[in-house]
Every structure is written in C-alpha cells, then in structure tokens.
C-alpha cells in the first residue's frame, strides 16, 4: 500500500511538473522549528517555486496559526495542539502530512534547579516565559504536575521566542522558560538549563504536521502531493550531505551553529517514512485524525 501511494505521488509530480506554474499559488505558513527545515531546504533549492508553492516563515506557533486564519492561506504547520485550536474554528481542517515527532525538542528550561523552584514560597510569583497560545502551555502544565509545583504561584508572560531573548537581555530574567529547538541553544548560553523535555522527564506526545482544510486540499491536491515528495527529497538530502543542508536552512534557525543544528536533529523523529503501530496507538488515544494523510 505504501509503495502504491509513493508511486502515485511520483506520477502526480511528473505529470504536474510542466503545468504547475499555471496553478494558483499554494500558500503555506510555517515557523522556525527544526522539524520544519525540509520545507526551508525545498524553498532554498527552488523546488517549491517549480510547483508554485509559496512558503512564509514566522517566529511563533501562535503567530503562524493566527496568520493562517486571517490571511486566507492554504496550509500551516504546527503541533496537534495548534491543530485542535484551529479545528474549533474550521471543522473541515485536516492533517495531510506528518513531519516529525518531538523526542526532546520541546523543553522547560530554568536558571534554577527543580529543588530551588520547590523552595520558593507559594505566595511568591514565579515568572514564566512561554507562548501561551501554543503547545508550550500544555507542556508547562504537564511539567508542574509531574514535578510537584502545581501549588506554586506563576506569572505567565506571553512572548514569542525572539521577544523572550530581548526581554532576558534587556529587562528581566524569568525563572522558567518553555521553549523548543533551536531557541534552547541561545538560552543555554544565558544560564538556562533544561529541567525536562519531551525526550526526558515529560511524557507529553508532541507531533508536527502540515494542515489544510478540505476546500484547499481539493483545490491544490496535486501540489500537496508534490510537496510530500519534496519533503522526502529534502530529508534524503539531509542524510546524504548534512553540512550542505545546514548551510541552506541555517538562516531560518535563529543563528544555530552546525554543532547545535546536529544536536537539534537528535531531538526529533522524522515521520515522513511512516508511523509505527505503537505510535499510531498513542495518536489515536490523543484523538488526532490521521486518515487523510498523504
């Protein structure tokens, strides 16, 4: 079945290759996350342009979701948390392409140890920087429950990750930051250490995928199919020549060095090649629909 689907996608790409420029643009928005880098690579290689696919990039997950709705775009990337938020607005929304699973790429960082945080008096607010309208929030809730901090007082400060960097440098230093790769590398240089992540200490399932609604899917079906092939092609290029891949995608990854880029790759599991039965069980438990995946 998978072989048949791959053959179908390849045929669609070949058939549509000459005429794709006549199609209406397929407009997608994404954010600076290591798991979205195949899209960045495909853009820099000129592959998206060949199929009239327009990719916009923003800093935050919440911003990506908001712009998708307000700017009449055709698709956006994000976790299943952003999907469920968007689905409440548009129940025709579907995941059509799995990108990756976070296995350490989403984390809670602090300039204090967990024991030091526990010792803070319950009536003394603990400053927390995070994107509230994103997967950062359930990650934070999972963290405080698992580590016995639910009785503490928290001052939640909603910032995207570039603003967080500015706030830390210019104004104040929070006690906790909920973030994701590649932003953790700069935070580590500022004295923040990872207390827990999706790879160690937290059991929260975090998946990244591309979403569209059914109207856009039917309108741009063969472009989405082409994009699936281009993502596979980009991941193969990463495996064959990671340094060249890094040089192409680094402008999108907030100044991460090559060594930091390689570390970030260890915190995700690519899902373009298929999903294991055990992970499918967890996805079903999370009520994340995967029946329409390419």
């Amino acid at each position: 079945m998978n072989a048949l689907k791959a053959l179908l996608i390849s045929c669609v790409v070949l058939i549509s290759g000459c005429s794709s420029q006549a199609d209406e643009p397929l407009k997608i928005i994404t954010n600076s996350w290591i798991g979205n880098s195949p899209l960045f690579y495909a853009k820099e290689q000129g592959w998206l342009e060949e199929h009239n696919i327009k990719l916009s990039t923003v800093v935050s997950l919440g911003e990506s979701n908001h712009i998708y709705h307000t700017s009449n775009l055709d698709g956006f990337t994000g976790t299943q948390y952003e999907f469920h938020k968007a689905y409440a607005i548009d129940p025709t929304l579907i995941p059509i392409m799995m990108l990756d699973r976070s296995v350490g790429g989403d984390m809670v960082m602090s300039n204090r140890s967990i024991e030091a945080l526990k010792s803070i008096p319950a009536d003394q607010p603990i400053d927390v920087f995070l994107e509230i309208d994103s997967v950062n929030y359930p990650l934070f809730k999972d963290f405080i429950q698992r580590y016995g901090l639910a009785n503490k007082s928290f001052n939640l400060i909603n910032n995207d990750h570039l603003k967080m960097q500015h706030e830390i440098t210019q104004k104040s230093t929070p006690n906790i930051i909920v973030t994701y790769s590649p932003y953790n590398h700069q935070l580590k240089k500022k004295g923040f250490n990872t207390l827990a992540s999706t790879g160690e200490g937290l059991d929260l399932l975090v998946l990244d995928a591309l979403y569209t609604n059914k109207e856009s899917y039917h309108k741009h079906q063969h472009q989405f199919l082409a994009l699936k092939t281009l993502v596979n092609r980009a991941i193969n290029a990463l495996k064959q020549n990671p340094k060249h891949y890094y040089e192409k995608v680094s402008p999108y990854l907030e100044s991460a060095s090559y060594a930091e880029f390689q570390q970030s790759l260890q915190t995700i599991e690519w899902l373009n090649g298929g999903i294991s039965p055990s992970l499918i069980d967890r996805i079903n438990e999370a009520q994340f629909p995967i029946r329409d995946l390419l």
Side-chain angles (χ1 to χ4, degrees), residues 161-176:
H161 291 275
L162 286 184
K163 290 179 181 177
M164 288 181 196
Q165 300 279 0
H166 177 77
E167 290 284 333
I168 293 167
T169 302
Q170 301 295 329
K171 296 180 181 180
S172 60
T173 301
N175 298 125
I176 295 175

Side-chain angles (χ1 to χ4, degrees), residues 32 162 165 181-186 189 246 249-261 264:
S32 299
L162 286 184
Q165 300 279 0
S181 182
Y183 298 102
N184 60 307
H185 300 298
Q186 291 299 319
K189 295 172 185 176
Y246 164 75
V249 304
S250 60
Y252 301 89
L253 298 179
E254 305 307 323
S255 303
S257 69
Y258 181 55
E260 291 167 343
F261 167 73
S264 294

Side-chain angles (χ1 to χ4, degrees), residues 131-150:
E131 290 181 39
I132 291 178
D133 196 26
S134 79
V135 73
N136 283 180
Y137 185 70
L139 196 77
F140 171 69
K141 297 292 285 185
D142 189 31
F143 169 74
I144 63 175
Q145 290 292 335
R146 286 181 173 271
Y147 290 92
L149 296 166

Side-chain angles (χ1 to χ4, degrees), residues 11-161:
C11 290
V12 170
V13 173
L14 289 172
I15 293 170
S16 65
C18 297
S19 61
S20 59
Q21 288 296 337
D23 296 323
E24 290 187 35
L26 170 60
K27 296 173 288 185
I28 296 170
I29 191 163
T30 188
N31 68 296
S32 299
W33 156 249
I34 187 70
N36 295 330
S37 62
L39 297 172
F40 309 149
Y41 185 83
K43 179 179 180 179
E44 291 301 308
Q45 291 292 95
W47 300 342
L48 301 186
E49 186 177 355
E50 293 172 3
H51 297 277
N52 208 7
I53 300 171
K54 310 296 183 183
L55 182 71
S56 301
T57 308
V58 293
V59 173
S60 75
L61 285 163
E63 186 182 7
S64 176
N65 200 333
H66 174 73
I67 294 175
Y68 165 76
H69 286 295
T70 59
S71 300
N72 196 31
L73 302 184
D74 302 301
F76 72 98
T77 63
T79 73
Q80 76 270 30
Y81 180 84
E82 288 79 40
F83 164 74
H84 286 301
K85 296 275 288 186
Y87 182 83
I89 299 172
D90 179 3
T92 72
L93 197 70
I94 53 173
I96 59 163
M97 187 189 311
M98 298 300 297
L99 293 169
D100 64 272
R101 173 189 177 187
S102 174
V103 290
D106 295 85
M107 69 282 293
V108 177
M109 304 184 75
S110 180
N111 52 6
R112 301 192 182 192
S113 67
I114 290 176
E115 291 305 316
L117 292 172
K118 287 181 177 180
S119 69
I120 296 175
D123 61 349
Q124 180 179 326
I126 300 172
D127 286 343
V128 182
F129 278 6
L130 76 169
E131 290 181 39
I132 291 178
D133 196 26
S134 79
V135 73
N136 283 180
Y137 185 70
L139 196 77
F140 171 69
K141 297 292 285 185
D142 189 31
F143 169 74
I144 63 175
Q145 290 292 335
R146 286 181 173 271
Y147 290 92
L149 296 166
N151 65 329
K152 300 297 182 183
S153 175
F154 295 101
N155 177 31
L156 302 184
I157 302 169
N158 185 30
N159 266 329
D160 67 48
H161 291 275

